[in-house]
Structures are given as C-alpha cells and as structure tokens.
Amino acid sequence: MNAIRIHDVTKKYGNVTALDHVSLSFEYGKIYGFLGRNGAGKSTLINIIANRIFADSGEVLIDGIPAKENMRAHEKIFCMSEADLYDTSLKVKEHFKWIGRFYDSFDIEKAFRIAEKFELDTNRRFKALSKGYQSIFKLTAALALEVPYVIFDEPVLGLDANHRELFYELLLKDYEQNERTIVIATHLIEEVANLIEEVVLIDRGKVLVQENVGTLLESGYSVTGLAEEVDAYCNGKNVIGSDEAGSLKAAYVLGDRTPLPKNSHLQISAMNLQKLFVKLTEKGGR
Amino acid sequence: MTKLKSMIQYECMTSARYIPIFYAIEYAVVILVTVMIGIFSGSFENGGTSALEINSLIYVSVLGALGFHEDFKMLIQNGFTRTYIFAAAVSLFCFMCGIMSFVDAVIGNLLHRLLPRYDSLYGAAYGYDHFLANWLWLFTLYLLMCCLLYLIALVIHRIGKHLSLYVGIVLGGIIVLIAAFFRYVLPREAAGKVLEFLMNVMGFMSDGTVNHLLPALTFLVLACVFGAGAYAAIRGTELP
Amino acid sequence: MNINPNSERPIFIQIAEQLEDAIVTGVFPEETKIPSTNELSALLNINPHTILKGMNLLVDDGVIYKKRGLGMFVKEGAVEKVREKRQGQFYHQFIETMIEEANKLHMTKEDIISLVERGYENECNQDS
C-alpha cells in the first residue's frame, strides 16, 4: 500500500507523446534512480506527481490517495526540481520559516545546520543566490523536510564536486535515520549508480526497465572479439547494441552468460550502468 | 485549516508590504505636483487632482494581475491545491481592497472637507454624507477590479500571449460594435430603457431617489462573476 | 577502503573482499567492531543495502556476526577462516590465470618455475 503508484499515465503535447501509458511504482523506503535521456519524460512525470500539470489519462496515487488536487497527498511528498517556483524576493531564512508553516514535518534547525554545511548564506534573498546556491537551497529544504516521499529532479546540476559529494553524503545519512522513499531523476548515471537500490529507466515516454540495480547489472555484459566469433556467440541472445571498429566487434547483451567455446579469443566483461543505459536508449532501445 | 491560515498569512504578507509604499509614493507625487503647480501659477487654489482613488484602482488591478504569478508558483510547490490557492487569493483581495478602500474613503472625505474643490470619485456622484456606503462602494469596486484582472491574468497564462492579443482585439471590437449598436441601431425607447436600467443598478433610481447600497451590490455581483470565471480558469492551470 | 565502480566485480562483492582484507591483515582484530552499514554507506556514497549485502556474505561465511544493538563484530577464528578460503581460491585466481597468460606468451613451465624462484629470492633480498 505504501507507495507512489503511477497507473497508465499518458500526457501529450500537441502530437508529441511525452508519456505513453506509463505504469510504475515507487515503493516506500527505497532509493530509486529514475533515469532517462533529456526529454525522455522524467520531468513530465514528476510534474504530474507534483500536481503542477495534469495527465491526459491515468492516475497517480500516493499511499492510495490521488495526487491530483489533494492536500493530504501533498503533505507526504516534496519535489525538488530546476523550475523556478520560489518567491524570489524572500530571504533563505524567511523561506525556511514559511516552509515550516506550510508543512507539519519541517525540521527548521536541521535546515539551518545543513545550510551551514553548504555555506549557504541564509540572509541572502533567493534572487541574489547563484544558480548553484539556488539548487543548494532547494536541496536543503528537501533534506530537512521529513516527508515519506522525496523526489529530486536533477539535484546536482550546477553544483561543484565538493557540494555534490556533500549532498550524497547528507542524503545517505538522512536515509539511515528515516528510511523513506527517495527518487533521484537524473541523466548523470554513474554518479548515482552506487547510491540507488532500484532503477527505473524511461525512454521516449515509455518505461523500459524497472529493476533492482544489482540484478540488472548482473544480467548485462559485453562480448568483444572478432566480429564473426562475436556474432556466433551472440546467436539467440538478447543483444541490445554493438560497436564495431574494423574487424573487431563489441556486442552488448542482456541475459545469462553462456560459457565461451574452447580456445575462443572472445572477452566477456561487465557493463556498468551507464553503458547499459546508453545501449538501451540508443536508436530505439531493445 | 491551519494550512489555509498560513497560506493567507503568506499572501497577505507578500502583498501588504507594498501598501504603505504605494501610498507614500502616491501622495508624495501628488503633493509635489500640487506644490509645483502652486509655485508656478502663483496660487494654490487651482491645483490639485481629484479622485485619487483612480490610483488605488490601478494598484489593485496590478495586484490582481500579479497575484497570480509569484504566489501561485510558490504555493503549488509547497503542496497546496488550486482550490486552496484560489481561496487564499480571494481572501487576499478582500483584505487589500478592504484596507485600501477604507483609507481612500477616509482621505477622500477629509480632503473634500479641507479643500472644497477636491472631489473624490464617490463623492462626486453620491455626495459625502454616507461614509459606510462610500467605503462599501469603493471596496466592491476594487474587489471587482481585482477579480477581473486575476481572471484576465489566468486566461492569458492559459491561452498564451499571442492568442490573448487576438482575443483582446476581438473583444475591443465587440465593445465598439455594441456601443455603435446602442447609438445608431437601437430604437430610442429601447436605448432609453437600457440606460435607465444602468442608472438603476448604479443607485440612481427611476423615482429620483438614490439607493446608496445598490451600486455596491452591483459591483459585488460582477466581482462574483469574474471570481467564478477565475476559479474555473485556475482549476485547469498547469505549471510545466 | 577503495571501491572501483568500473570493476568486473559487483560492488557488494568488493565490499566483502575489502572487509576480508582488513580482517586478515589485522586492521580489524577478532572480537572488535567493524564500521556499521551506515558509516560505510556515508563514507563511500554507496546504498546501505548494498553494503549490507556484502556484509551478509561474511556473516554467511562465519567471518563476522551481529551483536544485538551493538553492530557487526569480527568472529573468533575469522582470520584463519579467511586465510583458508583465500588459499582455496588462490589456485583459480592466480595459478590458472598465470598459466593462461604464460601460454599466450609461449612461456614454458620451466620459464614460470624459474620466475617464481627468482621472485622469492628477490623477496629474501628485500627482507635482509
């Protein structure tokens, strides 16, 4: 029962289908990677969950309550995204004050502690902050808000390396204290690959994969060698892509690794998440 | 309900801080202009403006139009529904219009006492003997302007700037047509009846008496109509 | 601890192996506490469930055990256990690979044996 359930959601903009009968669920207590290329539909779905835009059909339920125009549902969720949805003339500390009034579960002291760690000047007005620090302010609010579902849409864009590390560290520390659902939507796959427990992959408005990261990685591998040998080995397998350089070929496969033929010069190696993602979403996916 | 309270507090806080600034500027400008005219023309008798309420009218209209933008985004981000946001906006409008209409009514009457040449908007039409009616009239007038501009802002947001321009031009054309229709097409009698009706709703009854509360009622009805339109518009507003 | 995200080996296995290394080399003596899942998670920026998975491998092997409310401790006799396990893996991990590589390079068995002897001589010399 405790989950964000997205059921058969479709959203079209003119004749572009941003989301095509998307069904998935973000269960309570897991860290999800919501991966997709630019324009794949991640932000559109997040905006629908956040009650910013409406789905053409289908519904989103948060712990069984519809997300559309329902205050109770939105008590439980916080979406942090790039969009400028904040009162630009307020100071950071004033923002904290108001967020504390709008939500029951905002830990304002924690917000100030986190702001300090990031060296965020809470006396500054929102519009006077750099882009990076505007993101940091939003991250701080999200980390200090103890709601059961938090969605980050490209949280670390514009953050320097130190702040990114700090964010991930604080995120995990927060997760250790209250195991809530954290969804990180990003196209920076390798950065989050070790943080997440489950991955949801969206491409061109459709969900390609929803799986535990470990299981997914175990099922993917690459086979390199002479083209004919590679093709022979891959016969009947689920090849999701390939690269060629002269007579050398690398094929990317999802599935079980069968033993290599004797005296074969083929090399089998693991595929990291980013490679898997790129191959799945290149020219039309699998 | 505490949420609603917080939201209304927020709306009021963000808008209320502009009121004193507005008045300070308005009266500073007026005083400056009056003084300058007085100095240059040699006497203070001819100077001065009338109907300062026009400025307030402009201010509340701007409030109505902008009230949508900043606050709407902030409140959606913090988990409020459009219905709640609408309720807060209307509360804000009532609060602001209530205050400003009171201030304007007081100052209008005061100025008229001090400078007999000065006429407030209400006073010029209905006289200065009914303060409450004066206040109510201004309040409902400002409210109707807020709601109208709010509705317009929402509509523009939904249909886009280009389409809005066309719609605006078409509406302008229709209004001109209606006026022309009145003037040139409608037979004397019918036109006379319409005019009489309009005068009635503005409080100038057919039997010569003045109903001081009727115009406020008229304005209130119009405000509700625009408000309902705004509610319908806001329910479908998206923030991509 | 150093986790290689691009390695062949899944993260949780790397965690298990590096904890084993630390135990075998005495960094975590027997009957002492090892860092908690959460501490490692925050340190390495890795999902705590992954860390736990790695630790559970060691629990299954009898190398570490959980003390209620206190955390994970190195079991008595863990060093010996890990050594034995590694010795068992040694053949597959090093010898087979070495022979395969040697064959690729057309090195004979005698070549390899003399290299091994040379290796031990050098080590002796370094020690003295």
Side-chain angles (χ1 to χ4, degrees):
Chain A
M1 194 67 219
N2 281 2
I4 298 179
R5 273 189 223 293
I6 292 136
H7 188 66
D8 206 31
V9 162
T10 300
K11 177 76 177 172
K12 289 196 166 89
Y13 287 109
N15 51 0
V16 173
T17 307
L19 292 172
D20 190 357
H21 297 286
V22 168
S23 290
L24 59 99
S25 62
F26 292 122
E27 255 137 67
Y28 186 72
K30 287 191 191 172
I31 301 184
Y32 285 87
F34 187 25
L35 309 178
R37 301 185 65 173
N38 301 327
K42 304 189 295 293
S43 296
T44 308
L45 185 61
I46 292 176
N47 280 340
I48 291 178
I49 297 173
N51 194 31
R52 292 178 201 156
I53 64 178
F54 304 123
D56 293 335
S57 65
E59 62 173 356
V60 174
L61 297 171
I62 300 175
D63 283 354
I65 311 170
K68 181 171 173 180
E69 289 288 289
N70 189 311
M71 296 280 288
R72 270 193 313 139
H74 289 279
E75 260 301 309
K76 302 174 183 244
I77 184 170
F78 186 80
C79 296
M80 176 256 161
S81 70
E82 228 197 325
D84 253 325
L85 296 170
Y86 286 90
D87 190 329
T88 52
S89 57
L90 289 180
K91 295 183 184 171
V92 171
K93 62 182 179 187
E94 286 167 345
H95 269 292
F96 285 165
K97 182 185 82 174
W98 285 107
I99 296 178
R101 292 209 190 141
F102 294 148
Y103 286 94
D104 293 329
S105 46
F106 187 65
D107 186 345
I108 199 164
E109 278 120 34
K110 187 171 176 186
F112 278 110
R113 281 199 305 269
I114 296 177
E116 204 182 342
K117 288 207 172 110
F118 277 110
E119 293 174 307
L120 170 64
D121 183 358
T122 54
N123 264 320
R124 275 199 149 191
R125 295 189 192 277
F126 185 82
K127 59 184 167 200
L129 295 172
S130 67
K131 262 273 170 212
Y133 266 103
Q134 285 180 351
S135 291
I136 289 174
F137 156 71
K138 296 179 201 174
L139 295 178
T140 307
L143 288 171
L145 193 55
E146 269 140 44
V147 289
Y149 301 97
V150 185
I151 302 184
F152 293 99
D153 191 355
E154 300 289 0
V156 296
L157 280 189
L159 264 62
D160 61 41
N162 303 53
H163 285 150
R164 297 217 290 271
E165 292 257 329
L166 181 58
F167 168 63
Y168 297 133
E169 186 192 313
L170 289 173
L171 187 69
L172 283 170
K173 282 216 174 94
D174 177 81
Y175 183 64
E176 91 181 59
Q177 260 145 20
N178 36 351
E179 265 199 18
R180 51 185 178 165
T181 305
I182 297 177
V183 177
I184 305 178
T186 183
H187 57 269
L188 299 174
I189 297 167
E190 276 312 293
E191 278 214 1
V192 301
N194 293 335
L195 288 174
I196 60 185
E197 192 181 327
E198 201 165 304
V199 83
V200 174
L201 215 154
I202 188 170
D203 190 41
R204 278 167 254 238
K206 291 197 173 69
V207 175
L208 291 186
V209 170
Q210 172 160 20
E211 190 136 39
N212 175 284
V213 168
T215 318
L216 185 62
L217 287 175
E218 267 163 49
S219 69
Y221 60 95
S222 69
V223 185
T224 340
L226 290 174
E228 313 90 60
E229 279 196 59
V230 170
D231 289 334
Y233 178 78
C234 291
N235 192 12
K237 292 198 172 53
N238 182 6
V239 177
I240 60 175
S242 61
D243 289 329
E244 295 195 36
S247 56
L248 275 183
K249 183 171 182 174
Y252 305 101
V253 184
L254 272 184
D256 292 325
R257 302 181 192 200
T258 55
L260 289 173
K262 266 259 163 351
N263 298 323
S264 135
H265 300 295
L266 291 175
Q267 261 209 313
I268 294 192
S269 46
M271 252 201 304
N272 67 14
L273 193 58
Q274 182 156 289
K275 196 69 171 185
L276 208 107
F277 170 82
V278 169
K279 289 304 160 192
L280 280 172
T281 55
E282 237 172 26
K283 16 178 184 141
R286 53 171 163 174
Chain B
M1 276 304 121
T2 43
K3 285 294 158 54
L4 190 60
K5 194 181 96 177
S6 304
M7 195 172 44
I8 295 177
Q9 271 178 334
Y10 171 71
E11 295 256 37
C12 288
M13 176 218 71
T14 49
S15 308
R17 60 182 152 192
Y18 295 123
I19 297 186
I21 300 177
F22 164 72
Y23 276 121
I25 295 178
E26 180 189 27
Y27 288 115
V29 166
V30 165
I31 291 174
L32 190 66
V33 168
T34 314
V35 165
M36 305 230 341
I37 292 181
I39 291 177
F40 283 118
S41 68
S43 84
F44 283 97
E45 286 221 345
N46 299 327
T49 61
S50 274
L52 284 171
E53 295 91 326
I54 304 280
N55 300 317
S56 297
L57 212 55
I58 296 175
Y59 180 79
V60 291
S61 306
V62 168
L63 176 73
L66 294 184
F68 160 66
H69 231 241
E70 289 277 316
D71 294 353
F72 186 75
K73 293 196 281 185
M74 174 83 165
L75 292 171
I76 289 275
Q77 165 65 37
N78 284 300
F80 290 98
T81 57
R82 289 157 178 77
T83 306
Y84 263 70
I85 293 175
F86 178 78
V90 168
S91 308
L92 167 72
F93 293 158
C94 290
F95 175 68
M96 294 281 285
C97 294
I99 292 183
M100 295 188 77
S101 56
F102 184 78
V103 171
D104 289 345
V106 166
I107 298 206
N109 280 315
L110 212 62
L111 281 179
H112 182 73
R113 298 279 155 87
L114 297 176
L115 311 163
R117 272 181 181 276
Y118 175 84
D119 276 314
S120 75
L121 207 57
Y122 181 82
Y126 301 93
Y128 295 88
D129 300 321
H130 303 259
F131 179 77
L132 201 61
N134 189 351
W135 181 14
L136 222 57
W137 189 85
L138 282 178
F139 172 61
T140 49
L141 177 60
Y142 291 172
L143 192 62
L144 113 73
M145 283 309 282
C146 273
C147 292
L148 176 60
L149 268 299
Y150 195 44
L151 168 61
I152 290 176
L154 282 166
V155 166
I156 293 181
H157 183 261
R158 279 194 75 176
I159 68 177
K161 296 207 173 90
H162 281 143
L163 203 54
S164 302
L165 200 59
Y166 292 139
V167 169
I169 292 175
V170 166
L171 275 178
I174 292 180
I175 291 177
V176 170
L177 278 175
I178 291 181
F181 178 74
F182 252 95
R183 181 80 171 77
Y184 298 112
V185 177
L186 211 56
R188 268 289 151 97
E189 255 201 62
K193 280 238 151 50
V194 173
L195 213 59
E196 195 186 323
F197 173 73
L198 286 178
M199 292 294 279
N200 284 349
V201 294
M202 287 307 283
F204 302 105
M205 311 314 287
S206 319
D207 56 11
T209 60
V210 177
N211 186 331
H212 291 276
L213 291 177
L214 196 53
L217 191 64
T218 309
F219 288 157
L220 192 61
V221 165
L222 284 174
C224 289
V225 166
F226 295 140
Y231 181 67
I234 207 176
R235 290 279 295 184
T237 302
E238 293 188 314
L239 279 179
Chain C
M1 284 199 97
N2 215 348
I3 301 298
N4 181 0
N6 288 319
S7 153
E8 280 293 312
R9 311 178 75 63
I11 304 286
F12 74 97
I13 291 191
Q14 291 185 49
I15 305 244
E17 286 175 352
Q18 298 212 7
L19 284 173
E20 274 180 356
D21 283 346
I23 291 172
V24 133
T25 55
V27 171
F28 299 135
E30 288 177 7
E31 292 301 335
T32 60
K33 187 174 179 312
I34 62 174
S36 71
T37 340
N38 294 323
E39 285 167 347
L40 283 177
S41 161
L43 178 69
L44 301 167
N45 281 349
I46 293 179
N47 190 302
H49 294 148
T50 312
I51 310 260
L52 189 61
K53 203 170 165 185
M55 287 197 181
N56 281 336
L57 286 182
L58 297 185
V59 170
D60 291 341
D61 281 347
V63 172
I64 60 179
Y65 69 102
K66 190 166 187 177
K67 257 196 202 172
R68 272 265 167 102
L70 292 170
M72 293 285 197
F73 282 73
V74 181
K75 211 168 183 179
E76 198 183 315
V79 178
E80 211 24 63
K81 267 215 182 82
V82 176
R83 246 191 228 137
E84 269 177 39
K85 177 175 135 191
R86 292 279 178 94
Q87 282 169 4
Q89 290 171 341
F90 190 88
Y91 178 76
H92 175 70
Q93 217 173 333
F94 294 100
I95 305 298
E96 277 184 1
T97 324
M98 183 180 74
I99 294 180
E100 202 184 309
E101 186 71 6
N103 287 338
K104 254 191 222 163
L105 300 171
H106 294 189
M107 292 166 78
T108 64
K109 185 166 93 175
E110 289 69 36
D111 291 332
I112 300 300
I113 292 179
S114 65
L115 280 178
V116 171
E117 282 179 353
R118 202 220 294 179
Y120 274 107
E121 264 174 44
N122 285 344
E123 203 202 354
C124 260
N125 293 341
Q126 276 180 5
D127 283 344
S128 54

